[in-house]
Every structure is written in C-alpha cells, then in structure tokens.
Amino acid sequence: MKEEFITVKTFTFPSEIPIVQTFMEMKGIEVFMKNLTLNQLAYPIFGIEMQVNASDYEIAKNALIEGGFAELEDFAF
C-alpha cells in the first residue's frame, strides 16, 4: 500500500529545520523534507515542507503544538 504524505509545517530557511526535525523524531514521528534540495534562492518562494505519513498527521500536529513550534490556528483550513 502506498502511503500518502501530508505537509504539517513549512519553513522558509533550512536553518529552522534541525531543532523541529529532531524534536519530531524524538517523539517517534518520521518526517520528510520536501523541496530541501531546491536552489536556496527558491526557498522563500516555495518553502521547505515538513511532511509526515497521513496516518501520523494528528500525532505530528499535536507534537508541533506541544513543542511550541505551531499553534492550533496554524492547522485551521
């Protein structure tokens, strides 16, 4: 079965990623960074997306809020 990935957080600069990524991995949440290898001039345009498996979305969302890396309003659609 093919797993679907969902973006839970978008970063503008790569320097913002390590702390959040480490926190998520310490919580047992596997993350994937989409667009990380783009030309650095493109980061402000496209952003770097932290994605998780669709089945981990709620856990990831709650972990980001718990860690102070996001607020509940960031997930309102």
Side-chain angles (χ1 to χ4, degrees):
M1 182 172 98
K2 184 179 178 190
E3 186 70 55
E4 179 184 350
F5 299 105
I6 298 177
T7 300
V8 290
K9 184 161 181 67
T10 303
F11 301 92
T12 303
F13 302 104
S15 60
E16 302 170 321
I17 296 171
I19 293 173
V20 181
Q21 184 173 6
T22 301
F23 177 80
M24 298 295 275
E25 290 172 352
M26 287 175 52
K27 291 282 194 180
I29 303 165
E30 187 174 12
V31 298
F32 308 92
M33 304 311 293
K34 181 179 176 184
N35 300 334
L36 185 59
T37 58
L38 285 177
N39 181 314
Q40 290 183 359
L41 297 174
Y43 289 150
I45 298 169
F46 297 106
I48 304 163
E49 298 177 27
M50 176 180 280
Q51 297 188 327
V52 297
N53 291 320
S55 58
D56 291 335
Y57 178 76
E58 287 297 320
I59 295 167
K61 178 180 83 169
N62 291 331
L64 287 169
I65 293 168
E66 174 190 329
F69 301 112
E71 296 184 9
L72 186 57
E73 296 82 31
D74 295 336
F75 300 97
F77 297 112

